[in-house]
Amino acid sequence: MKLKHVLSLTLMASSILLAGAASAEVKIALVAKSLGNGFFEAANVGAQQAAKELGDVKVIYTGPTTTTAEAQIEVLNGLIAQGVDAIAVSANDPDALVPVLKKAMQRGIKVVSWDSGVAQAGRQIHLNPSNNALIGETNVKLAADALKALNVDKGDVAILSATPTSTNQNLWIAEMKKVLPKYPSVNLVTVAYGDDLSDKSYRETMGLLKSYPNLKVIISPSSVGIVAAAQAVKDQGKIGKVYVTGLGLPSEMAGAVKSGATKSFAIWNPIDLGYAATYLAYDLVKGTATKTEASMGRLGKVKLDADGSGAMAEPFIYDASNIDKFSKIF
């Protein structure tokens, strides 16, 4: 009887341990380029939606206060020390983060980069918001449309980027330059960098307006830069003479569209992006992702290339016809 009692207690203890293991919370860190950025805050909304759907996931939303690789590395080291199960990061630098993320993977932490990628050695999956070539061409087409609205056959256009090392920005700019021959009205004069900071982006725009008196369009593929550029154009009394376009959030760009500083702009849904990145991280933790595809939940499967990269969706155009609707959403 005594032996049976011991066996019974052992089985009960094993059952409790197994139940605890089965219900263990999966901790996924969603790491932004910087905190206080509306794009990444919207991505966190999607990540929390994914966590709620999955049920056994806790999303830790974090990031540095400055858009530097050094500040991001410090955040990542803290997450490794916490022992999170997965890290989903939008990188401030594609190469500088590789050593710390290699350390994470060596400790069994799954790594996804999203929005702005990490070099292949530092992650398992990279989720592009869209196809880089399509994003690049969309930006140039928006500039050409703006020039047409200004009744200009050929006009000076400048790009206001984020940081000089931002992976996605540099890829998009390269794609923009590739398609310029298809858009002869677009005369690209320079690329400036606002470092994804409102005040610096504003100052850089003021500098562009001064240095290029014939400037007609500013393309900013940065959700921070585009808002700052539109404000600078308005403050300088250039509405109707200079258009700002690029990638931005409807909630932050509604004023620019209504003031006339912006005719149209584009963006994918950052809520969906954070949602998809969380599902990809979860798929890796559970071991259900493959080398060719992984789950994005309600968004379906993402097809992965030989480098482990995939694209979520095409960018969407926003203008006066739809800005009110979407500005209420994100």
Side-chain angles (χ1 to χ4, degrees), residues 12-25:
M12 282 175 65
S14 299
S15 298
I16 291 167
L17 285 169
L18 287 169
S23 61
E25 201 170 46

Side-chain angles (χ1 to χ4, degrees), residues 120-289:
Q120 189 180 356
R123 48 78 182 165
Q124 288 149 292
I125 292 176
H126 173 61
L127 180 66
N128 287 303
S130 183
N131 176 284
N132 288 321
L134 190 55
I135 294 168
E137 182 158 7
T138 296
N139 276 281
V140 177
K141 185 180 183 300
L142 287 168
D145 290 345
L147 289 169
K148 189 175 180 181
L150 291 167
N151 294 312
V152 175
D153 292 331
K154 189 178 181 76
D156 289 353
V157 175
I159 295 171
L160 176 65
S161 185
T163 63
T165 57
S166 181
T167 319
N168 53 356
Q169 302 275 314
N170 289 336
L171 285 169
W172 300 335
I173 292 167
E175 294 295 342
M176 287 185 222
K177 290 177 178 178
K178 282 182 190 176
V179 300
L180 285 174
K182 290 173 62 177
Y183 299 89
S185 65
V186 177
N187 179 41
L188 181 62
V189 292
T190 192
V191 179
Y193 298 94
D195 292 351
D196 255 350
L197 300 171
S198 294
D199 55 349
K200 187 175 181 187
S201 297
Y202 184 90
R203 291 196 305 271
E204 289 292 331
T205 304
M206 298 291 271
L208 289 171
L209 294 171
K210 186 177 179 179
S211 300
Y212 300 92
N214 294 319
L215 194 64
K216 299 299 181 187
V217 181
I218 297 170
I219 302 170
S220 185
S222 151
S223 63
V224 174
I226 192 173
V227 175
Q231 187 62 49
V233 164
K234 183 181 177 183
D235 291 350
Q236 288 297 295
K238 296 282 188 179
I239 286 177
K241 298 174 184 177
V242 179
Y243 275 128
V244 175
T245 190
L247 305 177
L249 299 177
S251 60
E252 296 177 353
M253 287 299 293
V257 171
K258 289 176 181 180
S259 75
T262 294
K263 178 181 178 290
S264 57
F265 66 98
I267 198 68
W268 36 90
N269 189 329
I271 296 172
D272 284 350
L273 192 55
Y275 173 95
T278 303
Y279 258 93
L280 293 179
Y282 184 81
D283 217 12
L284 283 172
V285 170
K286 292 298 182 181
T288 45

